[in-house]
Structures are given as structure tokens and as C-alpha cells.
């Protein structure tokens, strides 16, 4: 998917956003590969990074960028890159994305940023030296007034650019640079820096509570409800089926979740996996909304994972599976009743 297409998804239906163009939704600016500062962003304060997950460490960078922008009476924006650099260098999607652009944009808006600017990570950008990135992108194209970065931010060919280099470059080119220290996820000697890698590893083992601790919110996915085999309906447990990205490596299993439909968050139970009792098919997220009746096909749904109930396993018969599903529903109700 092209960068402009990812941003079109975030903007909503009826919006066309090409390379070098921008759009707006509810006053929030989205821009792809701008050649000049997007409207209202001349001398803006930019939080720069990949920001996959927008976890607590990223949030500290964003909060400082918003505060600094307020101090300077300037706009604040997130500058990020698509596709994920790992995908570009591999030549195919390989990164387990915590927050694709269509999820990242609304999160940015809720955090107080005024815009999201995305640059296509391609051969041209990948081969720019750190000095070229500063001079050609930050200064010539974006006219940055200030930038805020994390303590471990690197950029430029071979990741040669680092916080100290950017601070020195800012002094030469006339823009301010602030570096935010790492955020840790524990207390005392057991503390570790919050990172997207650690959060991915937690999700890969099904520990969605640990992932939520690093993210500062439950891990969530966004998708459109697709047609399925309607087996759940036949078993008395109808499900809304969502196909996740092939690179999603959430551990297969059954989870207590909350699902957002038409702006309302509803209690639910979800199974993610290959359905070994039925067909051992492609991975699928199947969501059963508690106390809900209605047709969800074709509608967008966000699913937030609260806790894992059990691993995925094969049952001897459909009646055995159905009995376990009833137990899963009861356990989900209990978990969600006690969750804040």
C-alpha cells in the first residue's frame, strides 16, 4: 500500500491524498511527503521517530513536543516514516506493526498534536546521510522550528545520525533540539527501558497485560468485519471476523477484549488463530460481542485486548468446542467486570 493510501484510510472515505499533498480531518492535518511545510506547520515543533506503538517512551517525546510548541506558540506535529524501515530493507512486509498509520493518526490527535507528517522510506531516503536529512528534509522542506527526539533516536544512512549530532546540527541551522530521556517500565534494579521490541515480545507470548503496561493502554487492532463460514452462528456464538496483517504475531489463543463499534466500546471475547478443530486455516480474529444482536458485516471494528483466557487448542468434537466457548464467555465476563 502506498503512503498516500495509508493516510487516506486515516482520513476516511471520499478523501484522496497523493504524494506531496495533505488533508485534514476535524482540524488535524495529515501530510504525505510534503515538499514544503504543510499549512499551519511553518516553524512547527516536530516529534521525530518511527513511533511504532506510541508507547510510554514515545508518549514522553510527544508530550514534550506539545508542551514546547505551546511555549513557542507554534504548531506541533509528528514526523514518521512509512513503510517501516525493516520492511523496506527486507523488500516485503516483515515488521509486526503495533500502530499502522491509520491507528497512529487518531492517537496523535488525542495526544494534542496538530498534525502527522509521513515520509516514504524508500531508497532515496535510506541513502541520505544524516547531514543531508537535516539540510534537505528538516530545514529545506519542513522549515522546522524545533525537534524533540528520544534518547535512542538514530537516522541517516547507516544510522549515523544520533542525538548529539542532531543537537549540533540544530545549532548550525537555527532550530532547537530537545532530547527526552528513556522511560522505564519497572522499579529499582528490575527496570528496563520501554521499547516496541519488548512490547512485541510480550504480545508474541500472549501477555497482553504486559504489553498494555508498556503501551499505557490496551493493545488494539483495527479492521473491517469480513464474511466468514458463519459456523459460530450455527453453534450459538456468532462472531465478527477480522483478517489481521500477515505480520501480526500475537500469540494464538482466546482473549477477553473490548470492541468498539460505532464509537461505543462493548464487552467481548475473541479467538485469534487457525481454528484447529474446524479447518486449520489462515489466522483469523473472531470476536463475539456479549449481549449484542445485529449485522456487523462490512463495518469497521477496533478490538482492545484486556487479558488472555487460554491458548488455542484442538477439541475432539464441535460440542466440546462449544462447551469450552461458553466457559470462555463466562471467564471473559468476569475479567472485564474487574478491569478498569
Amino acid at each position: 500500500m502506498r503512503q498516500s493510501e495509508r493516510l487516506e484510510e486515516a482520513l476516511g472515505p471520499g478523501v484522496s491524498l497523493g504524494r506531496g499533498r495533505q488533508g485534514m480531518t476535524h482540524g488535524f492535518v495529515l501530510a504525505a511527503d510534503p515538499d514544503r511545510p504543510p499549512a499551519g506547520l511553518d516553524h512547527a515543533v516536530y516529534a521525530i521517530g518511527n513511533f511504532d506503538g506510541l508507547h510510554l517512551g514515545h508518549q514522553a517525546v510527544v508530550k514534550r513536543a506539545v508542551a514546547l510548541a505551546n511555549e513557542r506558540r507554534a504548531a506541533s506535529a509528528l514526523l514518521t516514516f512509512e513503510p517501516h524501515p525493516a520492511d523496506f530493507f527486507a523488500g516485503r512486509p516483515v515488521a509486526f506493526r503495533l500502530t499502522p498509520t491509520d491507528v497512529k493518526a487518531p492517537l496523535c490527535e488525542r495526544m494534542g498534536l496538530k498534525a502527522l507528517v509521513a515520509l516514504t522510506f524508500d531508497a532515496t531516503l535510506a541513502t541520505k546521510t544524516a547531514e543531508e536529512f537535516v539540510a534537505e528534509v528538516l530545514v529545506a522542506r519542513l522549515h522546522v522550528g524545533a525537534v524533540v527526539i528520544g534518547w535512542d533516536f538514530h537516522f541517516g544512512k547507516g544510522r549515523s545520525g544520533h542525538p548529539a549530532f542532531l543537537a549540533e546540527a540544530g545549532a548550525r541551522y537555527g532550530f532547537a533540539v530537545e532530547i527526552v530521556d528513556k522511560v522505564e517500565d519497572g522499579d529499582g534494579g528490575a527496570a528496563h527501558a520501554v521499547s516496541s521490541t519488548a512490547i512485541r515480545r510480550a504480545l508474541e507470548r500472549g501477555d497482553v497485560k504486559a504489553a498494555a503496561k508498556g503501551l499505557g493502554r490496551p493493545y488494539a487492532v483495527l479492521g473491517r468485519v469480513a464474511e466468514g463460514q458463519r459456523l459460530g452462528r450455527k453453534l450459538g456464538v456468532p462472531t465478527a471476523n477480522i483478517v489481521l496483517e500477515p505480520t501480526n504475531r500475537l500469540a494464538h489463543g482466546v482473549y477477553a477484549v473490548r470492541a468498539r463499534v460505532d464509537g461505543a466500546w462493548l464487552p467481548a471475547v475473541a479467538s485469534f488463530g487457525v481454528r484447529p478443530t474446524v479447518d486449520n486455516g489462515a489466522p483469523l480474529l473472531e470476536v463475539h460481542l456479549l449481549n449484542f444482536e445485529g449485522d456487523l458485516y462490512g463495518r469497521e471494528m477496533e478490538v482492545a485486548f484486556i487479558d488472555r483466557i487460554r491458548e488455542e487448542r484442538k477439541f475432539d468434537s464441535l460440542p466440546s468446542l462449544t462447551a469450552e466457548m461458553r466457559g470462555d464467555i463466562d471467564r471473559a465476563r468476569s475479567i472485564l467486570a474487574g478491569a478498569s
Side-chain angles (χ1 to χ4, degrees):
M1 180 179 288
R2 292 183 295 110
Q3 172 67 338
S4 57
E5 291 173 334
R6 287 188 180 275
L7 291 178
E8 284 170 13
E9 285 188 355
L11 282 167
V15 177
S16 177
L17 187 66
R19 184 182 180 93
R21 296 178 61 189
Q22 70 179 65
M24 183 177 294
T25 176
H26 308 298
F28 185 79
V29 175
L30 287 158
D33 298 308
D35 294 322
R36 60 185 61 84
L41 296 184
D42 200 22
H43 295 95
V45 177
Y46 280 87
I48 306 178
N50 193 55
F51 294 110
D52 187 29
L54 275 172
H55 56 58
L56 292 178
H58 298 149
Q59 291 172 37
V61 175
V62 170
K63 288 176 182 177
R64 181 52 197 151
V66 171
L68 182 59
N70 290 336
E71 293 169 13
R72 297 168 65 96
R73 296 183 179 179
S76 58
L78 190 89
L79 178 62
T80 190
F81 312 93
E82 290 287 346
H84 193 287
D87 293 351
F88 167 76
F89 288 114
R92 57 186 176 85
V94 294
F96 176 6
R97 300 294 300 274
L98 302 175
T99 47
T101 302
D102 53 335
V103 175
K104 191 179 295 180
L107 285 173
C108 287
E109 185 174 11
R110 288 199 290 269
M111 293 172 66
L113 291 163
K114 302 303 181 184
L116 185 152
V117 178
L119 302 180
T120 298
F121 195 90
D122 55 14
T124 300
L125 189 61
T127 55
K128 284 188 185 298
T129 66
E131 181 70 26
E132 289 170 338
F133 180 79
V134 171
E136 298 173 12
V137 177
L138 300 185
V139 177
R141 288 170 57 181
L142 297 180
H143 301 179
V144 300
V147 300
V148 181
I149 57 172
W151 62 281
D152 58 347
F153 176 65
H154 287 77
F155 64 102
K157 183 178 180 181
R159 292 170 54 85
S160 58
H162 47 76
F165 172 85
L166 188 57
E168 183 274 330
R172 284 189 285 113
Y173 284 102
F175 61 86
V177 176
E178 291 202 13
I179 303 165
V180 176
D181 200 4
K182 63 183 175 182
V183 174
E184 297 183 330
D185 64 359
D187 299 317
H192 299 281
V194 175
S195 70
S196 299
T197 298
I199 292 168
R200 291 188 192 100
R201 288 173 178 166
L203 294 172
E204 287 168 356
R205 62 178 184 268
D207 193 349
V208 293
K209 294 179 75 173
K213 185 178 179 182
L215 289 168
R217 64 185 186 281
Y219 169 67
V221 297
L222 185 67
R224 197 163 297 280
V225 178
E227 289 277 359
Q229 299 177 0
R230 298 181 182 258
L231 178 61
R233 186 175 300 278
K234 295 175 183 176
L235 298 177
V237 187
T239 61
N241 302 322
I242 299 173
V243 179
L244 303 185
E245 293 290 332
T247 53
N248 189 298
R249 295 194 292 275
L250 175 67
H252 293 177
V254 178
Y255 296 85
V257 305
R258 290 194 175 97
R260 182 177 59 81
V261 181
D262 295 336
W265 286 97
L266 306 174
V269 59
S271 173
F272 178 58
V274 297
R275 306 165 304 286
T277 306
V278 180
D279 60 5
N280 265 322
L284 184 69
L285 179 65
E286 301 171 286
V287 184
H288 172 67
L289 301 180
L290 309 183
N291 306 320
F292 176 87
E293 292 185 8
D295 187 2
L296 294 170
Y297 291 115
R299 294 164 72 177
E300 186 176 75
M301 178 183 290
E302 184 175 5
V303 181
F305 293 79
I306 307 303
D307 201 357
R308 193 183 194 200
I309 295 173
R310 62 173 174 85
E311 64 184 12
E312 182 180 48
R313 60 178 182 267
K314 184 175 182 178
F315 293 87
D316 294 334
S317 65
L318 288 179
S320 297
L321 170 62
T322 303
E324 188 70 18
M325 292 167 66
R326 295 295 181 187
D328 294 336
I329 291 172
D330 291 338
R331 287 187 284 273
R333 290 187 191 277
S334 178
I335 290 169
L336 296 172
S340 59

